[in-house]
Amino acid sequence: MTPRETRSSTADLFADAPTEPRSEALVSGAVVLRAFAIPYVTQIFTALRTITAAAPFRHMVTPGGFEMSVAMTNCGAYGWVTDRTGYRYTADDPESGLPWPSLPEAFGQLAVAAAAAAGFGGFAPDACLINRYAAGTRLSLHQDRNERDFDAPIVSVSLGLPAIFLFGGARRADRAQRVPLWHGDVVVWGGPARLHYHGVLPLAAGEHSITGPYRFNLTLRKAV
Ligand code: MD3
Ligand code: FE
């Protein structure tokens, strides 16, 4: 039996990872920049080792008392955290009491270039949430509403194993479209898309040549 015949329908969604940069509009304000992050990958993973040495990945707890399946850390002036008291941005890592590691130059350059390519000039990110997914990790449908200025876009960078991203509408009940995101893809979420519901389906197990069994996602934000 050939591998193709054993593929699930989920794997078929991943069948053709784009290798050349190109852009796709999802809805007004949401632009997928395929492979945009490829030139930055070496610098990103070098910086990631320094960041996670100081601020290791951890599974945070939601206000409802559930441990998140996504492992998270942050860099930049502010980092997103959740605990029993709620969601918020903090200047210090609550685990160490130290400021979050600073935003690497390459992260800022990538975010500003991607935002500009999607039509958002003058993006000035001050926070970067770093998500790590292992097999089975999911992110349920949510909105990102903890930032002060919804006029600023969010830039997301997908690295390692592919995932199926769920992109819904302005209301939770709105039908969500499934968008495969591959290593190197960057998505810019601004304008009307900024407050849309979104999530990630459980990650399929796999092995990536750079990240092994993981998917990483960076979200660069203007939090404050
Ligand atoms: C659409 N992360 O960290 S990135 C998150 O793949 C988050 O780790 C997902 O949702 C991940 O909050 C999805 C894509 C994304 C990020 C922010 C958005 C999509 C968005 C904000 C508004 C609309
Ligand atoms: Fe989100």
Side-chain angles (χ1 to χ4, degrees), residues 77-80 88-90 123-128 146-150 152-154 194 220-224:
Y78 300 97
W80 185 87
R88 64 197 174 278
Y89 283 93
T90 63
F123 182 46
D126 58 11
C128 179
N146 298 120
E147 302 74 26
R148 194 167 288 168
D149 175 12
F150 298 146
I154 291 179
R194 175 64 182 75
L220 291 119
R221 303 143 183 266
K222 180 172 163 42
V224 175

mmCIF file with all atom_site columns, all heavy atoms in Angstrom, residues 77-80 88-90 123-128 146-150 152-154 194 220-224:
data_model
loop_
_atom_site.group_PDB
_atom_site.id
_atom_site.type_symbol
_atom_site.label_atom_id
_atom_site.label_alt_id
_atom_site.label_comp_id
_atom_site.label_asym_id
_atom_site.label_entity_id
_atom_site.label_seq_id
_atom_site.pdbx_PDB_ins_code
_atom_site.Cartn_x
_atom_site.Cartn_y
_atom_site.Cartn_z
_atom_site.occupancy
_atom_site.B_iso_or_equiv
_atom_site.pdbx_formal_charge
_atom_site.auth_seq_id
_atom_site.auth_comp_id
_atom_site.auth_asym_id
_atom_site.auth_atom_id
_atom_site.pdbx_PDB_model_num
ATOM 1   N N   . ALA A 1 77  ? 8.064   43.461 25.607 1.00 0.00 ? 77  ALA A N   1
ATOM 2   C CA  . ALA A 1 77  ? 7.816   44.277 26.803 1.00 0.00 ? 77  ALA A CA  1
ATOM 3   C C   . ALA A 1 77  ? 6.669   43.707 27.638 1.00 0.00 ? 77  ALA A C   1
ATOM 4   O O   . ALA A 1 77  ? 6.648   43.845 28.867 1.00 0.00 ? 77  ALA A O   1
ATOM 5   C CB  . ALA A 1 77  ? 7.518   45.721 26.404 1.00 0.00 ? 77  ALA A CB  1
ATOM 6   N N   . TYR A 1 78  ? 5.707   43.055 26.961 1.00 0.00 ? 78  TYR A N   1
ATOM 7   C CA  . TYR A 1 78  ? 4.553   42.478 27.657 1.00 0.00 ? 78  TYR A CA  1
ATOM 8   C C   . TYR A 1 78  ? 4.328   41.048 27.186 1.00 0.00 ? 78  TYR A C   1
ATOM 9   O O   . TYR A 1 78  ? 4.623   40.713 26.047 1.00 0.00 ? 78  TYR A O   1
ATOM 10  C CB  . TYR A 1 78  ? 3.291   43.310 27.400 1.00 0.00 ? 78  TYR A CB  1
ATOM 11  C CG  . TYR A 1 78  ? 3.452   44.722 27.877 1.00 0.00 ? 78  TYR A CG  1
ATOM 12  C CD1 . TYR A 1 78  ? 3.824   45.727 26.983 1.00 0.00 ? 78  TYR A CD1 1
ATOM 13  C CD2 . TYR A 1 78  ? 3.298   45.045 29.222 1.00 0.00 ? 78  TYR A CD2 1
ATOM 14  C CE1 . TYR A 1 78  ? 4.021   47.027 27.426 1.00 0.00 ? 78  TYR A CE1 1
ATOM 15  C CE2 . TYR A 1 78  ? 3.499   46.340 29.670 1.00 0.00 ? 78  TYR A CE2 1
ATOM 16  C CZ  . TYR A 1 78  ? 3.861   47.318 28.765 1.00 0.00 ? 78  TYR A CZ  1
ATOM 17  O OH  . TYR A 1 78  ? 4.077   48.596 29.212 1.00 0.00 ? 78  TYR A OH  1
ATOM 18  N N   . GLY A 1 79  ? 3.784   40.239 28.097 1.00 0.00 ? 79  GLY A N   1
ATOM 19  C CA  . GLY A 1 79  ? 3.458   38.865 27.752 1.00 0.00 ? 79  GLY A CA  1
ATOM 20  C C   . GLY A 1 79  ? 2.040   38.546 28.188 1.00 0.00 ? 79  GLY A C   1
ATOM 21  O O   . GLY A 1 79  ? 1.560   39.057 29.207 1.00 0.00 ? 79  GLY A O   1
ATOM 22  N N   . TRP A 1 80  ? 1.375   37.688 27.396 1.00 0.00 ? 80  TRP A N   1
ATOM 23  C CA  . TRP A 1 80  ? -0.014  37.286 27.712 1.00 0.00 ? 80  TRP A CA  1
ATOM 24  C C   . TRP A 1 80  ? 0.021   36.137 28.714 1.00 0.00 ? 80  TRP A C   1
ATOM 25  O O   . TRP A 1 80  ? 0.748   35.160 28.515 1.00 0.00 ? 80  TRP A O   1
ATOM 26  C CB  . TRP A 1 80  ? -0.729  36.859 26.435 1.00 0.00 ? 80  TRP A CB  1
ATOM 27  C CG  . TRP A 1 80  ? -2.186  36.554 26.637 1.00 0.00 ? 80  TRP A CG  1
ATOM 28  C CD1 . TRP A 1 80  ? -3.221  37.441 26.590 1.00 0.00 ? 80  TRP A CD1 1
ATOM 29  C CD2 . TRP A 1 80  ? -2.764  35.264 26.921 1.00 0.00 ? 80  TRP A CD2 1
ATOM 30  N NE1 . TRP A 1 80  ? -4.407  36.784 26.827 1.00 0.00 ? 80  TRP A NE1 1
ATOM 31  C CE2 . TRP A 1 80  ? -4.155  35.450 27.036 1.00 0.00 ? 80  TRP A CE2 1
ATOM 32  C CE3 . TRP A 1 80  ? -2.243  33.984 27.090 1.00 0.00 ? 80  TRP A CE3 1
ATOM 33  C CZ2 . TRP A 1 80  ? -5.030  34.400 27.297 1.00 0.00 ? 80  TRP A CZ2 1
ATOM 34  C CZ3 . TRP A 1 80  ? -3.118  32.935 27.366 1.00 0.00 ? 80  TRP A CZ3 1
ATOM 35  C CH2 . TRP A 1 80  ? -4.499  33.153 27.463 1.00 0.00 ? 80  TRP A CH2 1
ATOM 36  N N   . ARG A 1 88  ? -4.612  38.417 31.007 1.00 0.00 ? 88  ARG A N   1
ATOM 37  C CA  . ARG A 1 88  ? -4.062  39.775 30.977 1.00 0.00 ? 88  ARG A CA  1
ATOM 38  C C   . ARG A 1 88  ? -2.661  39.780 30.392 1.00 0.00 ? 88  ARG A C   1
ATOM 39  O O   . ARG A 1 88  ? -2.064  38.726 30.181 1.00 0.00 ? 88  ARG A O   1
ATOM 40  C CB  . ARG A 1 88  ? -4.023  40.364 32.391 1.00 0.00 ? 88  ARG A CB  1
ATOM 41  C CG  . ARG A 1 88  ? -3.093  39.592 33.315 1.00 0.00 ? 88  ARG A CG  1
ATOM 42  C CD  . ARG A 1 88  ? -3.374  39.920 34.779 1.00 0.00 ? 88  ARG A CD  1
ATOM 43  N NE  . ARG A 1 88  ? -2.568  39.069 35.655 1.00 0.00 ? 88  ARG A NE  1
ATOM 44  C CZ  . ARG A 1 88  ? -2.888  37.807 35.992 1.00 0.00 ? 88  ARG A CZ  1
ATOM 45  N NH1 . ARG A 1 88  ? -4.005  37.259 35.531 1.00 0.00 ? 88  ARG A NH1 1
ATOM 46  N NH2 . ARG A 1 88  ? -2.108  37.097 36.768 1.00 0.00 ? 88  ARG A NH2 1
ATOM 47  N N   . TYR A 1 89  ? -2.140  40.974 30.139 1.00 0.00 ? 89  TYR A N   1
ATOM 48  C CA  . TYR A 1 89  ? -0.736  41.142 29.772 1.00 0.00 ? 89  TYR A CA  1
ATOM 49  C C   . TYR A 1 89  ? 0.040   41.598 30.995 1.00 0.00 ? 89  TYR A C   1
ATOM 50  O O   . TYR A 1 89  ? -0.454  42.429 31.776 1.00 0.00 ? 89  TYR A O   1
ATOM 51  C CB  . TYR A 1 89  ? -0.601  42.167 28.640 1.00 0.00 ? 89  TYR A CB  1
ATOM 52  C CG  . TYR A 1 89  ? -0.971  41.587 27.300 1.00 0.00 ? 89  TYR A CG  1
ATOM 53  C CD1 . TYR A 1 89  ? -2.266  41.705 26.796 1.00 0.00 ? 89  TYR A CD1 1
ATOM 54  C CD2 . TYR A 1 89  ? -0.032  40.884 26.551 1.00 0.00 ? 89  TYR A CD2 1
ATOM 55  C CE1 . TYR A 1 89  ? -2.611  41.149 25.575 1.00 0.00 ? 89  TYR A CE1 1
ATOM 56  C CE2 . TYR A 1 89  ? -0.373  40.324 25.322 1.00 0.00 ? 89  TYR A CE2 1
ATOM 57  C CZ  . TYR A 1 89  ? -1.654  40.458 24.848 1.00 0.00 ? 89  TYR A CZ  1
ATOM 58  O OH  . TYR A 1 89  ? -1.988  39.902 23.635 1.00 0.00 ? 89  TYR A OH  1
ATOM 59  N N   . THR A 1 90  ? 1.252   41.050 31.176 1.00 0.00 ? 90  THR A N   1
ATOM 60  C CA  . THR A 1 90  ? 2.109   41.443 32.288 1.00 0.00 ? 90  THR A CA  1
ATOM 61  C C   . THR A 1 90  ? 3.497   41.807 31.750 1.00 0.00 ? 90  THR A C   1
ATOM 62  O O   . THR A 1 90  ? 3.925   41.285 30.709 1.00 0.00 ? 90  THR A O   1
ATOM 63  C CB  . THR A 1 90  ? 2.285   40.295 33.303 1.00 0.00 ? 90  THR A CB  1
ATOM 64  O OG1 . THR A 1 90  ? 2.958   39.184 32.652 1.00 0.00 ? 90  THR A OG1 1
ATOM 65  C CG2 . THR A 1 90  ? 0.947   39.819 33.848 1.00 0.00 ? 90  THR A CG2 1
ATOM 66  N N   . PHE A 1 123 ? 3.206   49.243 12.057 1.00 0.00 ? 123 PHE A N   1
ATOM 67  C CA  . PHE A 1 123 ? 2.944   48.279 13.137 1.00 0.00 ? 123 PHE A CA  1
ATOM 68  C C   . PHE A 1 123 ? 4.111   48.320 14.129 1.00 0.00 ? 123 PHE A C   1
ATOM 69  O O   . PHE A 1 123 ? 5.272   48.257 13.738 1.00 0.00 ? 123 PHE A O   1
ATOM 70  C CB  . PHE A 1 123 ? 2.788   46.872 12.543 1.00 0.00 ? 123 PHE A CB  1
ATOM 71  C CG  . PHE A 1 123 ? 2.462   45.797 13.545 1.00 0.00 ? 123 PHE A CG  1
ATOM 72  C CD1 . PHE A 1 123 ? 1.480   45.985 14.518 1.00 0.00 ? 123 PHE A CD1 1
ATOM 73  C CD2 . PHE A 1 123 ? 3.114   44.572 13.499 1.00 0.00 ? 123 PHE A CD2 1
ATOM 74  C CE1 . PHE A 1 123 ? 1.164   44.980 15.435 1.00 0.00 ? 123 PHE A CE1 1
ATOM 75  C CE2 . PHE A 1 123 ? 2.810   43.556 14.402 1.00 0.00 ? 123 PHE A CE2 1
ATOM 76  C CZ  . PHE A 1 123 ? 1.835   43.759 15.380 1.00 0.00 ? 123 PHE A CZ  1
ATOM 77  N N   . ALA A 1 124 ? 3.793   48.433 15.418 1.00 0.00 ? 124 ALA A N   1
ATOM 78  C CA  . ALA A 1 124 ? 4.819   48.520 16.460 1.00 0.00 ? 124 ALA A CA  1
ATOM 79  C C   . ALA A 1 124 ? 4.508   47.504 17.553 1.00 0.00 ? 124 ALA A C   1
ATOM 80  O O   . ALA A 1 124 ? 3.962   47.838 18.606 1.00 0.00 ? 124 ALA A O   1
ATOM 81  C CB  . ALA A 1 124 ? 4.871   49.937 17.029 1.00 0.00 ? 124 ALA A CB  1
ATOM 82  N N   . PRO A 1 125 ? 4.873   46.220 17.341 1.00 0.00 ? 125 PRO A N   1
ATOM 83  C CA  . PRO A 1 125 ? 4.536   45.187 18.323 1.00 0.00 ? 125 PRO A CA  1
ATOM 84  C C   . PRO A 1 125 ? 5.320   45.383 19.623 1.00 0.00 ? 125 PRO A C   1
ATOM 85  O O   . PRO A 1 125 ? 6.491   45.731 19.599 1.00 0.00 ? 125 PRO A O   1
ATOM 86  C CB  . PRO A 1 125 ? 4.949   43.880 17.634 1.00 0.00 ? 125 PRO A CB  1
ATOM 87  C CG  . PRO A 1 125 ? 5.980   44.268 16.622 1.00 0.00 ? 125 PRO A CG  1
ATOM 88  C CD  . PRO A 1 125 ? 5.604   45.655 16.182 1.00 0.00 ? 125 PRO A CD  1
ATOM 89  N N   . ASP A 1 126 ? 4.636   45.153 20.750 1.00 0.00 ? 126 ASP A N   1
ATOM 90  C CA  . ASP A 1 126 ? 5.312   45.215 22.055 1.00 0.00 ? 126 ASP A CA  1
ATOM 91  C C   . ASP A 1 126 ? 5.149   43.908 22.828 1.00 0.00 ? 126 ASP A C   1
ATOM 92  O O   . ASP A 1 126 ? 5.504   43.823 24.000 1.00 0.00 ? 126 ASP A O   1
ATOM 93  C CB  . ASP A 1 126 ? 4.801   46.406 22.883 1.00 0.00 ? 126 ASP A CB  1
ATOM 94  C CG  . ASP A 1 126 ? 3.302   46.360 23.130 1.00 0.00 ? 126 ASP A CG  1
ATOM 95  O OD1 . ASP A 1 126 ? 2.668   45.313 22.848 1.00 0.00 ? 126 ASP A OD1 1
ATOM 96  O OD2 . ASP A 1 126 ? 2.742   47.370 23.606 1.00 0.00 ? 126 ASP A OD2 1
ATOM 97  N N   . ALA A 1 127 ? 4.571   42.879 22.183 1.00 0.00 ? 127 ALA A N   1
ATOM 98  C CA  . ALA A 1 127 ? 4.342   41.598 22.849 1.00 0.00 ? 127 ALA A CA  1
ATOM 99  C C   . ALA A 1 127 ? 4.413   40.485 21.822 1.00 0.00 ? 127 ALA A C   1
ATOM 100 O O   . ALA A 1 127 ? 3.970   40.655 20.685 1.00 0.00 ? 127 ALA A O   1
ATOM 101 C CB  . ALA A 1 127 ? 2.961   41.587 23.511 1.00 0.00 ? 127 ALA A CB  1
ATOM 102 N N   . CYS A 1 128 ? 4.978   39.359 22.226 1.00 0.00 ? 128 CYS A N   1
ATOM 103 C CA  . CYS A 1 128 ? 4.978   38.170 21.370 1.00 0.00 ? 128 CYS A CA  1
ATOM 104 C C   . CYS A 1 128 ? 4.666   36.954 22.217 1.00 0.00 ? 128 CYS A C   1
ATOM 105 O O   . CYS A 1 128 ? 5.458   36.550 23.067 1.00 0.00 ? 128 CYS A O   1
ATOM 106 C CB  . CYS A 1 128 ? 6.325   37.999 20.683 1.00 0.00 ? 128 CYS A CB  1
ATOM 107 S SG  . CYS A 1 128 ? 6.406   36.517 19.639 1.00 0.00 ? 128 CYS A SG  1
ATOM 108 N N   . ASN A 1 146 ? -7.665  41.058 24.678 1.00 0.00 ? 146 ASN A N   1
ATOM 109 C CA  . ASN A 1 146 ? -6.966  41.611 25.836 1.00 0.00 ? 146 ASN A CA  1
ATOM 110 C C   . ASN A 1 146 ? -6.017  42.749 25.463 1.00 0.00 ? 146 ASN A C   1
ATOM 111 O O   . ASN A 1 146 ? -5.349  43.301 26.335 1.00 0.00 ? 146 ASN A O   1
ATOM 112 C CB  . ASN A 1 146 ? -6.184  40.516 26.574 1.00 0.00 ? 146 ASN A CB  1
ATOM 113 C CG  . ASN A 1 146 ? -7.096  39.438 27.120 1.00 0.00 ? 146 ASN A CG  1
ATOM 114 O OD1 . ASN A 1 146 ? -6.976  38.281 26.759 1.00 0.00 ? 146 ASN A OD1 1
ATOM 115 N ND2 . ASN A 1 146 ? -8.038  39.820 27.956 1.00 0.00 ? 146 ASN A ND2 1
ATOM 116 N N   . GLU A 1 147 ? -5.976  43.081 24.160 1.00 0.00 ? 147 GLU A N   1
ATOM 117 C CA  . GLU A 1 147 ? -5.105  44.163 23.725 1.00 0.00 ? 147 GLU A CA  1
ATOM 118 C C   . GLU A 1 147 ? -5.888  45.479 23.799 1.00 0.00 ? 147 GLU A C   1
ATOM 119 O O   . GLU A 1 147 ? -7.108  45.490 23.689 1.00 0.00 ? 147 GLU A O   1
ATOM 120 C CB  . GLU A 1 147 ? -4.606  43.903 22.290 1.00 0.00 ? 147 GLU A CB  1
ATOM 121 C CG  . GLU A 1 147 ? -3.845  42.587 22.148 1.00 0.00 ? 147 GLU A CG  1
ATOM 122 C CD  . GLU A 1 147 ? -4.741  41.344 22.180 1.00 0.00 ? 147 GLU A CD  1
ATOM 123 O OE1 . GLU A 1 147 ? -5.933  41.480 21.811 1.00 0.00 ? 147 GLU A OE1 1
ATOM 124 O OE2 . GLU A 1 147 ? -4.265  40.267 22.600 1.00 0.00 ? 147 GLU A OE2 1
ATOM 125 N N   . ARG A 1 148 ? -5.165  46.577 23.982 1.00 0.00 ? 148 ARG A N   1
ATOM 126 C CA  . ARG A 1 148 ? -5.829  47.861 24.181 1.00 0.00 ? 148 ARG A CA  1
ATOM 127 C C   . ARG A 1 148 ? -6.389  48.420 22.878 1.00 0.00 ? 148 ARG A C   1
ATOM 128 O O   . ARG A 1 148 ? -7.425  49.067 22.858 1.00 0.00 ? 148 ARG A O   1
ATOM 129 C CB  . ARG A 1 148 ? -4.817  48.837 24.803 1.00 0.00 ? 148 ARG A CB  1
ATOM 130 C CG  . ARG A 1 148 ? -5.425  50.089 25.360 1.00 0.00 ? 148 ARG A CG  1
ATOM 131 C CD  . ARG A 1 148 ? -4.433  50.843 26.227 1.00 0.00 ? 148 ARG A CD  1
ATOM 132 N NE  . ARG A 1 148 ? -4.182  50.164 27.506 1.00 0.00 ? 148 ARG A NE  1
ATOM 133 C CZ  . ARG A 1 148 ? -3.194  50.484 28.335 1.00 0.00 ? 148 ARG A CZ  1
ATOM 134 N NH1 . ARG A 1 148 ? -2.361  51.469 28.031 1.00 0.00 ? 148 ARG A NH1 1
ATOM 135 N NH2 . ARG A 1 148 ? -3.038  49.837 29.473 1.00 0.00 ? 148 ARG A NH2 1
ATOM 136 N N   . ASP A 1 149 ? -5.652  48.182 21.777 1.00 0.00 ? 149 ASP A N   1
ATOM 137 C CA  . ASP A 1 149 ? -5.942  48.866 20.516 1.00 0.00 ? 149 ASP A CA  1
ATOM 138 C C   . ASP A 1 149 ? -6.281  47.838 19.438 1.00 0.00 ? 149 ASP A C   1
ATOM 139 O O   . ASP A 1 149 ? -5.400  47.211 18.877 1.00 0.00 ? 149 ASP A O   1
ATOM 140 C CB  . ASP A 1 149 ? -4.694  49.687 20.121 1.00 0.00 ? 149 ASP A CB  1
ATOM 141 C CG  . ASP A 1 149 ? -4.830  50.349 18.762 1.00 0.00 ? 149 ASP A CG  1
ATOM 142 O OD1 . ASP A 1 149 ? -5.955  50.381 18.210 1.00 0.00 ? 149 ASP A OD1 1
ATOM 143 O OD2 . ASP A 1 149 ? -3.808  50.848 18.250 1.00 0.00 ? 149 ASP A OD2 1
ATOM 144 N N   . PHE A 1 150 ? -7.581  47.674 19.158 1.00 0.00 ? 150 PHE A N   1
ATOM 145 C CA  . PHE A 1 150 ? -7.984  46.687 18.152 1.00 0.00 ? 150 PHE A CA  1
ATOM 146 C C   . PHE A 1 150 ? -7.717  47.175 16.731 1.00 0.00 ? 150 PHE A C   1
ATOM 147 O O   . PHE A 1 150 ? -7.932  46.434 15.767 1.00 0.00 ? 150 PHE A O   1
ATOM 148 C CB  . PHE A 1 150 ? -9.470  46.323 18.314 1.00 0.00 ? 150 PHE A CB  1
ATOM 149 C CG  . PHE A 1 150 ? -9.800  45.677 19.644 1.00 0.00 ? 150 PHE A CG  1
ATOM 150 C CD1 . PHE A 1 150 ? -11.018 45.911 20.259 1.00 0.00 ? 150 PHE A CD1 1
ATOM 151 C CD2 . PHE A 1 150 ? -8.889  44.843 20.281 1.00 0.00 ? 150 PHE A CD2 1
ATOM 152 C CE1 . PHE A 1 150 ? -11.336 45.319 21.472 1.00 0.00 ? 150 PHE A CE1 1
ATOM 153 C CE2 . PHE A 1 150 ? -9.188  44.245 21.502 1.00 0.00 ? 150 PHE A CE2 1
ATOM 154 C CZ  . PHE A 1 150 ? -10.415 44.491 22.101 1.00 0.00 ? 150 PHE A CZ  1
ATOM 155 N N   . ALA A 1 152 ? -4.712  47.933 15.753 1.00 0.00 ? 152 ALA A N   1
ATOM 156 C CA  . ALA A 1 152 ? -3.432  47.321 15.376 1.00 0.00 ? 152 ALA A CA  1
ATOM 157 C C   . ALA A 1 152 ? -3.686  45.871 14.974 1.00 0.00 ? 152 ALA A C   1
ATOM 158 O O   . ALA A 1 152 ? -4.476  45.177 15.618 1.00 0.00 ? 152 ALA A O   1
ATOM 159 C CB  . ALA A 1 152 ? -2.449  47.385 16.540 1.00 0.00 ? 152 ALA A CB  1
ATOM 160 N N   . PRO A 1 153 ? -3.016  45.396 13.914 1.00 0.00 ? 153 PRO A N   1
ATOM 161 C CA  . PRO A 1 153 ? -3.203  43.990 13.527 1.00 0.00 ? 153 PRO A CA  1
ATOM 162 C C   . PRO A 1 153 ? -2.459  43.050 14.475 1.00 0.00 ? 153 PRO A C   1
ATOM 163 O O   . PRO A 1 153 ? -1.711  43.499 15.353 1.00 0.00 ? 153 PRO A O   1
ATOM 164 C CB  . PRO A 1 153 ? -2.572  43.936 12.134 1.00 0.00 ? 153 PRO A CB  1
ATOM 165 C CG  . PRO A 1 153 ? -1.495  44.967 12.171 1.00 0.00 ? 153 PRO A CG  1
ATOM 166 C CD  . PRO A 1 153 ? -2.020  46.069 13.068 1.00 0.00 ? 153 PRO A CD  1
ATOM 167 N N   . ILE A 1 154 ? -2.712  41.746 14.335 1.00 0.00 ? 154 ILE A N   1
ATOM 168 C CA  . ILE A 1 154 ? -1.895  40.709 14.972 1.00 0.00 ? 154 ILE A CA  1
ATOM 169 C C   . ILE A 1 154 ? -1.219  39.947 13.835 1.00 0.00 ? 154 ILE A C   1
ATOM 170 O O   . ILE A 1 154 ? -1.857  39.631 12.828 1.00 0.00 ? 154 ILE A O   1
ATOM 171 C CB  . ILE A 1 154 ? -2.757  39.767 15.835 1.00 0.00 ? 154 ILE A CB  1
ATOM 172 C CG1 . ILE A 1 154 ? -3.277  40.519 17.061 1.00 0.00 ? 154 ILE A CG1 1
ATOM 173 C CG2 . ILE A 1 154 ? -1.965  38.535 16.252 1.00 0.00 ? 154 ILE A CG2 1
ATOM 174 C CD1 . ILE A 1 154 ? -4.159  39.688 17.986 1.00 0.00 ? 154 ILE A CD1 1
ATOM 175 N N   . ARG A 1 194 ? -9.963  41.327 12.842 1.00 0.00 ? 194 ARG A N   1
ATOM 176 C CA  . ARG A 1 194 ? -9.207  41.376 14.099 1.00 0.00 ? 194 ARG A CA  1
ATOM 177 C C   . ARG A 1 194 ? -9.948  40.737 15.278 1.00 0.00 ? 194 ARG A C   1
ATOM 178 O O   . ARG A 1 194 ? -9.323  40.137 16.150 1.00 0.00 ? 194 ARG A O   1
ATOM 179 C CB  . ARG A 1 194 ? -8.868  42.850 14.399 1.00 0.00 ? 194 ARG A CB  1
ATOM 180 C CG  . ARG A 1 194 ? -8.178  43.145 15.707 1.00 0.00 ? 194 ARG A CG  1
ATOM 181 C CD  . ARG A 1 194 ? -6.815  42.515 15.795 1.00 0.00 ? 194 ARG A CD  1
ATOM 182 N NE  . ARG A 1 194 ? -6.214  42.799 17.087 1.00 0.00 ? 194 ARG A NE  1
ATOM 183 C CZ  . ARG A 1 194 ? -6.549  42.219 18.225 1.00 0.00 ? 194 ARG A CZ  1
ATOM 184 N NH1 . ARG A 1 194 ? -7.513  41.299 18.240 1.00 0.00 ? 194 ARG A NH1 1
ATOM 185 N NH2 . ARG A 1 194 ? -5.947  42.522 19.341 1.00 0.00 ? 194 ARG A NH2 1
ATOM 186 N N   . LEU A 1 220 ? 2.591   38.178 17.179 1.00 0.00 ? 220 LEU A N   1
ATOM 187 C CA  . LEU A 1 220 ? 3.139   39.497 17.523 1.00 0.00 ? 220 LEU A CA  1
ATOM 188 C C   . LEU A 1 220 ? 2.007   40.487 17.614 1.00 0.00 ? 220 LEU A C   1
ATOM 189 O O   . LEU A 1 220 ? 1.166   40.565 16.705 1.00 0.00 ? 220 LEU A O   1
ATOM 190 C CB  . LEU A 1 220 ? 4.178   39.896 16.485 1.00 0.00 ? 220 LEU A CB  1
ATOM 191 C CG  . LEU A 1 220 ? 5.412   38.991 16.628 1.00 0.00 ? 220 LEU A CG  1
ATOM 192 C CD1 . LEU A 1 220 ? 5.689   38.207 15.396 1.00 0.00 ? 220 LEU A CD1 1
ATOM 193 C CD2 . LEU A 1 220 ? 6.601   39.807 17.104 1.00 0.00 ? 220 LEU A CD2 1
ATOM 194 N N   . ARG A 1 221 ? 1.991   41.191 18.729 1.00 0.00 ? 221 ARG A N   1
ATOM 195 C CA  . ARG A 1 221 ? 0.845   42.038 19.046 1.00 0.00 ? 221 ARG A CA  1
ATOM 196 C C   . ARG A 1 221 ? 1.270   43.401 19.558 1.00 0.00 ? 221 ARG A C   1
ATOM 197 O O   . ARG A 1 221 ? 2.347   43.542 20.131 1.00 0.00 ? 221 ARG A O   1
ATOM 198 C CB  . ARG A 1 221 ? 0.037   41.370 20.183 1.00 0.00 ? 221 ARG A CB  1
ATOM 199 C CG  . ARG A 1 221 ? -0.438  39.969 19.852 1.00 0.00 ? 221 ARG A CG  1
ATOM 200 C CD  . ARG A 1 221 ? -0.390  39.054 21.049 1.00 0.00 ? 221 ARG A CD  1
ATOM 201 N NE  . ARG A 1 221 ? -0.784  37.685 20.701 1.00 0.00 ? 221 ARG A NE  1
ATOM 202 C CZ  . ARG A 1 221 ? -2.027  37.222 20.824 1.00 0.00 ? 221 ARG A CZ  1
ATOM 203 N NH1 . ARG A 1 221 ? -2.978  37.981 21.332 1.00 0.00 ? 221 ARG A NH1 1
ATOM 204 N NH2 . ARG A 1 221 ? -2.305  35.984 20.465 1.00 0.00 ? 221 ARG A NH2 1
ATOM 205 N N   . LYS A 1 222 ? 0.391   44.356 19.379 1.00 0.00 ? 222 LYS A N   1
ATOM 206 C CA  . LYS A 1 222 ? 0.513   45.596 20.122 1.00 0.00 ? 222 LYS A CA  1
ATOM 207 C C   . LYS A 1 222 ? -0.460  45.472 21.276 1.00 0.00 ? 222 LYS A C   1
ATOM 208 O O   . LYS A 1 222 ? -1.674  45.580 21.081 1.00 0.00 ? 222 LYS A O   1
ATOM 209 C CB  . LYS A 1 222 ? 0.198   46.804 19.244 1.00 0.00 ? 222 LYS A CB  1
ATOM 210 C CG  . LYS A 1 222 ? 0.314   48.108 19.993 1.00 0.00 ? 222 LYS A CG  1
ATOM 211 C CD  . LYS A 1 222 ? 0.198   49.292 19.039 1.00 0.00 ? 222 LYS A CD  1
ATOM 212 C CE  . LYS A 1 222 ? -0.112  50.574 19.792 1.00 0.00 ? 222 LYS A CE  1
ATOM 213 N NZ  . LYS A 1 222 ? 0.633   50.769 21.032 1.00 0.00 ? 222 LYS A NZ  1
ATOM 214 N N   . ALA A 1 223 ? 0.068   45.183 22.471 1.00 0.00 ? 223 ALA A N   1
ATOM 215 C CA  . ALA A 1 223 ? -0.779  44.859 23.620 1.00 0.00 ? 223 ALA A CA  1
ATOM 216 C C   . ALA A 1 223 ? -1.197  46.104 24.377 1.00 0.00 ? 223 ALA A C   1
ATOM 217 O O   . ALA A 1 223 ? -2.320  46.190 24.883 1.00 0.00 ? 223 ALA A O   1
ATOM 218 C CB  . ALA A 1 223 ? -0.038  43.904 24.562 1.00 0.00 ? 223 ALA A CB  1
ATOM 219 N N   . VAL A 1 224 ? -0.262  47.061 24.499 1.00 0.00 ? 224 VAL A N   1
ATOM 220 C CA  . VAL A 1 224 ? -0.488  48.218 25.380 1.00 0.00 ? 224 VAL A CA  1
ATOM 221 C C   . VAL A 1 224 ? -0.456  49.521 24.578 1.00 0.00 ? 224 VAL A C   1
ATOM 222 O O   . VAL A 1 224 ? 0.185   49.579 23.538 1.00 0.00 ? 224 VAL A O   1
ATOM 223 C CB  . VAL A 1 224 ? 0.565   48.246 26.498 1.00 0.00 ? 224 VAL A CB  1
ATOM 224 C CG1 . VAL A 1 224 ? 0.434   49.506 27.351 1.00 0.00 ? 224 VAL A CG1 1
ATOM 225 C CG2 . VAL A 1 224 ? 0.394   47.006 27.393 1.00 0.00 ? 224 VAL A CG2 1
#
